[in-house]
Amino acid sequence: MTTDARSDADEQALTIDELAARTGVTVRTVRFYGSKGLLPPPEIGPRRVGRYGPGHVARLALIEELQQQGMTLAAIERYLRQLPPDLTPHDLAIHRAVVASWAPDAVDTVSRRELERRAGRPLSGADVERLAAMNVVMATDGDDTDGGTFRVDSGLLRLGVQLLDVPLSQEVILAARKVLIEHSRAAAHELSQLFRGEVAERDAQDVKSLSAHMHPLVVQALLTTFQRSLREELSEWVSGSDPDLSDPDVSR
């Protein structure tokens, strides 16, 4: 491993306290999940301190989503046991997105303290303003983003909080959101028309059953296809913009 790679790994490594703060759970909960096998054990670093990585963060997010869907601990254990052991944080994020797609839209009114608890981190006034610009939160007291109460889109909160750390301008993030909404709506419309033609002659119960089964499958298919397409686009962009990155001698 190169020095830069080690540095990146160290930067991503979290203590159990940092992991709990990042994900909005307690240290006791992290340890409990570890004892039940829901979380893989941490890597042991200097001074025998456990270090947690992005995979632990993603898995905790998935567990939280499963809990919000009303799954019992035993059901969550069964669900996680069925997952391949070598899933990346991106793979786990896809699973979480599919699970979240089962839930109805949930908009809650919360205090600033509860908003930060759900976000898993302190939020500055600028952070809240950025979340508001992404339609993740909306202050119920006019433009007061330093206190008061907020209407929160629970399905978008974690994504919005992650975007706070992305080194992109607010304009680019909002433009990307517009592109995603437009294309996802177009895909949803075309797929809906396709399935509607298939079930046109069936009774209402069959249509309802097919819809319930197809919803998570279509979401997972769209997410997986998009992830692969985006990876290919980014790979072509990076290799084309920096000759050193496409040099096989550099990657070794």
Side-chain angles (χ1 to χ4, degrees):
M1 181 183 292
T2 66
T3 301
D4 289 342
R6 280 195 301 268
S7 176
D8 290 343
D10 291 341
E11 186 175 323
Q12 293 179 348
L14 304 168
T15 65
I16 191 170
D17 294 298
E18 292 169 337
L19 175 66
R22 173 77 63 86
T23 56
V25 303
T26 65
V27 170
R28 182 179 179 181
T29 298
V30 174
R31 289 184 173 137
F32 174 72
Y33 288 160
S35 69
K36 301 292 289 185
L38 302 180
L39 281 179
E43 292 187 7
I44 304 302
R47 299 187 299 277
R48 304 294 297 172
V49 175
R51 310 295 286 184
Y52 298 83
H56 294 92
V57 175
R59 190 168 285 262
L60 279 172
L62 175 58
I63 293 171
E64 179 185 22
E65 194 65 56
L66 293 169
Q67 287 181 321
Q68 289 179 356
Q69 299 306 315
M71 290 182 67
T72 65
L73 185 61
I76 293 174
E77 288 184 65
R78 290 194 297 271
Y79 182 95
L80 295 179
R81 277 200 303 267
Q82 294 173 357
L83 300 180
D86 57 347
L87 288 182
T88 67
H90 291 293
D91 296 329
L92 290 168
I94 287 179
H95 277 274
R96 178 180 175 272
V98 172
V99 172
S101 76
W102 302 341
D105 294 336
V107 178
D108 300 321
T109 300
V110 300
S111 65
R112 175 62 176 269
R113 182 176 180 180
E114 175 63 14
L115 174 62
E116 293 188 338
R117 188 194 71 79
R118 295 190 183 190
R121 57 185 274 183
L123 298 171
S124 67
D127 290 337
V128 176
E129 289 177 2
R130 194 169 189 184
L131 291 173
M134 291 185 281
N135 290 330
V136 175
V137 305
M138 180 178 68
T140 59
D141 301 325
D143 296 328
D144 182 12
T145 56
D146 293 324
T149 57
F150 302 85
R151 288 176 60 80
V152 182
D153 188 325
S154 302
L156 290 177
L157 181 59
R158 186 173 293 276
L159 173 61
V161 170
Q162 290 174 337
L163 286 173
L164 294 177
D165 298 323
V166 174
L168 292 174
S169 68
Q170 185 71 17
E171 291 76 14
V172 170
I173 291 177
L174 294 179
R177 179 177 180 272
K178 182 180 179 181
V179 170
L180 288 171
I181 290 175
E182 289 179 351
H183 286 273
S184 62
R185 282 177 177 168
H189 176 73
E190 292 189 25
L191 288 170
S192 176
Q193 292 297 107
L194 181 65
F195 296 143
R196 185 176 299 175
E198 179 68 18
V199 301
E201 303 301 324
R202 303 188 185 184
D203 61 39
Q205 188 61 36
D206 286 342
V207 173
K208 185 176 181 180
S209 176
L210 179 63
S211 176
H213 284 86
M214 289 303 297
H215 186 184
L217 294 177
V218 169
V219 171
Q220 186 168 14
L222 286 171
L223 286 169
T224 303
T225 302
F226 177 75
Q227 183 189 37
R228 290 173 179 170
S229 299
L230 183 60
R231 186 186 300 123
E232 291 171 0
E233 288 287 334
L234 292 178
S235 177
E236 292 176 5
W237 169 54
V238 171
S239 61
S241 62
D242 189 344
D244 289 340
L245 293 176
S246 58
D247 185 345
D249 291 333
V250 174
S251 62
R252 285 198 292 265

